[in-house]
Amino acid sequence: VIYVYAITEPPAEPCSPQPGGFNGAQLRFLVDDGIAAVYSRHRSLRIRESPEDLWSHEAVVRRLMARGAVLPLRFGTLLAGEGDLRRSLAERHGELVRGLERVRGRVELSVRVLGREGPEPAPGQVGGREYLLGRRAALQRAERAAGEVHEPLAALAREARLRAPATPPAIFAAAYLVDRGGVDEFKDRVRALAAARHDLSIVGTGPWPPYTFVTEPGL
Amino acid sequence: VRVDSDPERLERGLAQLVLTLIELLRQLMERQAVRRIDAGGLDDDEIERLGNALMALAQRMDELKASFGLSDEDLNLNLGPLGDLL
C-alpha cells in the first residue's frame, strides 16, 4: 500500500526519496503536470489515531508547507499503489491545481474565543426557565462576540470560515486564510482585540497548514 | 479508502452518526425555543416546560456521549462545500 500525505507543487528538480515517512519509510513524489503527491510505500501499514501517528502526518505536511503551497490530505489516506494515485491525480487535476492556487503563499490562522464568566449551570442544577434563559444569553453572547472579533480579523484575511457552534467552553471559533506577509499584522490585531476585551479570552494559534481551506481532503 | 471491520469501531462510528443527527435537532430546537421567547410568544409556564424538556435532552445527550466516549467535536460532519453540519 501507499500512504499519501499531501498534494503540493512539484519539486524544482527531480528529487530522490527522502526520509520522514511513517515507520522510517522514505517520502516520494509522484508528479503530474504541475502538481505532485507526496507518499510513502509500505508492505502493510496500520494507522492509528494516536498522537504519534497524527504528529508524523503533520510533520510531513509542515515540512512541505515550508517549501510551498500544500493541500494536506485527510489523515489516514491509504491507496493500493502508485497506479491508483496516478489515476486520482489525473481525474482531479483541475480541482487540485485550483486548490493549490487558493492556498499558495497563504497560511491558516485560527482564533478561539472563550467567555470569561463561570461555566453554564449543568443541566439538572437549575429550573427549566433559568436553563433556557441561560442558553439564550449564551447564544446571544456568541453572536455578539462573533461579530466583534470576527469582522476586523476577516478584513485582514483572504478567506474566513466560522466554526459554528464552537465546542464549549469556546463561544466562537474561526479559521482565516492569510497571506504569509500579513501574518504579523493579523497576530497584532488578535493581540489588540484580546487586550481590549476583558470579558473574553481570545486565543490565536498558527500558522497552520490550510486544513480548513482544502475543499476535499480525500483522494 | 479505509475499511475497518472491527465491530467496536463500527458501533462507535454508527453511534457517532446517530448522535450527530440528534445533536443537530437538539440545537435547532433550542434555537427555535429562543426565537419564540424573543418573539414574546411564550408565557412563563411554557418557558419553564420547554426549558425542562431541553435540559433533559441535553442531559441525556451528555450521558450518551460519555457512554460512547465521544466529545462535542466528534459530533460533527464535514459536508464538504456546505461546511460543517454543526
Side-chain angles (χ1 to χ4, degrees):
Chain A
V1 295
I2 60 174
Y3 183 96
V4 194
Y5 301 84
I7 306 296
T8 184
E9 300 173 300
E13 301 143 28
C15 79
S16 48
Q18 41 185 287
F22 274 113
N23 299 340
Q26 292 187 314
L27 292 177
R28 299 161 189 275
F29 289 82
L30 194 150
V31 177
D32 177 18
D33 188 19
I35 58 176
V38 180
Y39 68 100
S40 53
R41 286 182 191 150
H42 301 269
R43 198 169 307 237
S44 71
L45 183 65
R46 184 157 170 83
I47 298 290
R48 304 186 166 279
E49 285 179 26
S50 65
E52 294 75 29
D53 281 0
L54 283 165
W55 180 246
S56 299
H57 177 100
E58 170 77 8
V60 173
V61 171
R62 295 202 146 231
R63 266 174 56 192
L64 296 170
M65 185 176 140
R67 282 185 40 238
V70 59
L71 300 175
L73 290 178
R74 193 197 306 279
F75 173 75
T77 301
L78 284 171
L79 295 178
E82 274 102 342
D84 282 5
L85 179 56
R86 195 170 284 287
R87 257 192 306 282
S88 283
L89 288 186
E91 270 166 25
R92 315 237 333 246
H93 191 268
E95 178 194 337
L96 294 171
V97 167
R98 284 191 298 279
L100 282 173
E101 267 163 26
R102 182 181 181 198
V103 302
R104 184 169 293 127
R106 295 168 188 162
V107 293
E108 178 169 331
L109 292 160
S110 139
V111 173
R112 270 161 57 86
V113 175
L114 286 76
R116 272 205 199 278
E117 70 268 64
E120 298 165 28
Q125 287 175 358
V126 296
R129 179 185 155 79
E130 200 180 329
Y131 172 79
L132 192 47
L133 294 181
R135 293 302 304 142
R136 175 176 177 240
L139 289 170
Q140 288 169 344
R141 267 199 311 280
E143 257 168 49
R144 269 200 308 276
E148 291 163 7
V149 174
H150 178 63
E151 275 162 29
L153 295 178
L156 298 177
R158 292 285 175 171
E159 288 182 56
R161 191 140 151 213
L162 287 175
R163 303 208 178 92
T167 310
I171 55 175
F172 160 76
Y176 302 87
L177 188 65
V178 178
D179 289 337
R180 280 176 197 267
V183 168
D184 287 341
E185 189 188 358
F186 188 93
K187 288 186 159 182
D188 285 345
R189 183 64 62 90
V190 172
R191 269 192 290 273
L193 284 164
R197 296 293 301 248
H198 299 294
D199 56 331
L200 299 173
S201 163
I202 300 176
V203 185
T205 58
W208 303 103
Y211 285 105
T212 305
F213 300 95
V214 178
T215 35
E216 172 45 70
L219 258 191
Chain B
V1 192
R2 278 182 302 169
V3 176
D4 200 322
S5 53
D6 180 344
E8 218 164 273
R9 288 179 59 130
L10 266 178
E11 181 182 297
R12 188 172 179 272
L14 188 59
Q16 184 172 358
L17 183 59
V18 171
L19 289 189
T20 298
L21 294 174
I22 299 174
E23 176 62 13
L24 172 69
L25 293 175
R26 190 190 71 77
Q27 292 190 12
L28 289 174
M29 286 192 287
E30 192 176 81
R31 279 174 174 67
Q32 179 65 13
V34 165
R35 268 197 295 274
R36 287 178 65 192
I37 294 176
D38 289 338
L42 295 176
D43 64 31
D44 281 358
D45 276 356
E46 287 170 325
I47 294 177
E48 179 73 24
R49 271 204 306 278
L50 205 49
N52 275 323
L54 288 167
M55 190 161 60
L57 192 53
Q59 210 162 3
R60 192 80 187 98
M61 275 302 293
D62 285 346
E63 290 164 12
L64 285 168
K65 275 185 288 190
S67 70
F68 285 101
L70 296 167
S71 71
D72 284 324
E73 255 155 19
D74 292 325
L75 295 195
N76 210 341
L77 291 179
N78 186 316
L79 301 179
L82 296 176
D84 288 342
L85 181 62
L86 293 180

